[in-house]
Amino acid sequence: MLTGKTAVITGGSRGLGESIAYRLASMGADIAIVYRSNPSLAESVCAACHKSYLVKAKAYCCDVSDFGAVKETINAIKNDFGTVHILVNNAGITHDGLAARMKEEDFDSVIAVNLKGAFNMIRHCTGLFLRNKEGCIINISSVTGLIGNAGQCNYAASKAGLIGLTKSIARELAPRGIRCNAIAPGFIATEMTAHQTENPLLERIPLGRMGEADDVADAVAYLATAGYVTGEVLKVDGGIAM
Ligand code: NDP
């Protein structure tokens, strides 16, 4: 279904990004993984994509918050794969704390990676999308960006910002055949949430369980192929924010 397409997945070395990489590879897409700090994890995801689905897969070390580094990385991906068709902005971090005590650098770094990182990737992929007269951008936001969360004002602001970014990019690029959507996951079992088993929001999940990374990968697979859907925010949250 995605044979002949190239998908770039930021933060594809583990967690949600790893499952998204496997899902898009299973649909036939070649995979470019962007990671920041753990080459062996990223390489092993690429090896598994190639072994299981016979697609081309390569990992690139890049801090998505660095505008110049993202430009170089997209150029490298273009050289290796020819172009990009699908961009999944999944890389994200948390530095939680109450606003009254939050350090300035903890606010800035979360905005820089989660929000500006997505902008940087979109900024440098858009030329390729325009040339192809097609493109699909999927931004991994969060239910926290929709309803807020005490102790996560920086993270919630970054994820709410991603929704504004998504809708603006969707409006700008729809006339050129390029779609942009967001996914707002709830609580998904990954390293990011491993320390949050006491989070009070857990009791408010109508479906009564944390999500799996594959639940989010299902939504990515849908949006990657939903040709008439743009500017949408798809919640994958067990009903938290209904
Ligand atoms: P993980 O912490 O498990 O993985 C984060 C990934 O992002 C890693 O691959 C990491 O690479 C990469 N990364 C972090 N910072 C950068 C950076 N500056 N540049 C490039 N890559 C970077 O997170 P999850 O899989 O849990 O989350 C993935 C996304 O989903 C995030 O955006 C998160 O906010 C969002 N989300 C997650 C939810 C959850 O419950 N898990 C809920 C809602 C949203 P490396 O290891 O090499 O540093």
Side-chain angles (χ1 to χ4, degrees), residues 22-202:
Y22 295 147
R23 183 62 56 91
L24 295 179
S26 78
M27 296 165 78
D30 292 325
I31 302 295
I33 279 176
V34 175
Y35 69 98
R36 183 179 49 177
S37 60
N38 197 324
S40 58
L41 279 184
E43 299 295 348
S44 73
V45 173
C46 289
C49 286
H50 179 66
K51 188 168 177 221
S52 302
Y53 306 112
L54 301 176
V55 298
K56 180 170 171 175
K58 193 165 173 186
Y60 300 82
C61 181
C62 169
D63 179 348
V64 294
S65 68
D66 181 334
F67 188 85
V70 169
K71 182 177 182 185
E72 280 175 27
T73 299
I74 298 303
N75 279 337
I77 292 171
K78 180 175 172 272
N79 285 339
D80 292 338
F81 289 84
T83 190
V84 175
H85 302 95
I86 298 164
L87 166 64
V88 184
N89 282 312
N90 164 79
I93 60 170
T94 54
H95 284 302
D96 296 350
L98 296 173
R101 291 200 292 264
M102 185 173 286
K103 290 188 199 137
E104 183 182 12
E105 60 261 34
D106 287 345
F107 190 89
D108 289 348
S109 60
V110 169
I111 299 289
V113 174
N114 298 6
L115 180 56
K116 190 180 170 221
F119 164 73
N120 288 342
M121 293 295 298
I122 292 168
R123 169 70 178 74
H124 294 301
C125 284
T126 297
L128 299 175
F129 294 150
L130 290 172
R131 227 164 291 156
N132 295 337
K133 297 188 171 57
E134 67 167 276
C136 170
I137 302 162
I138 300 170
N139 295 321
I140 307 298
S141 176
S142 168
V143 75
T144 303
L146 293 170
I147 63 174
N149 192 22
Q152 287 197 308
C153 69
N154 50 356
Y155 183 77
S158 73
K159 295 300 187 177
L162 267 181
I163 291 172
L165 180 74
T166 298
K167 294 187 178 188
S168 301
I169 297 290
R171 287 185 188 278
E172 275 182 30
L173 297 180
R176 315 297 288 269
I178 299 159
R179 299 181 298 110
C180 183
N181 292 288
I183 294 172
F187 280 93
I188 314 292
T190 67
E191 274 178 47
M192 183 177 274
T193 51
H195 64 287
Q196 288 191 34
T197 45
E198 301 298 313
N199 193 313
L201 272 182
L202 282 172

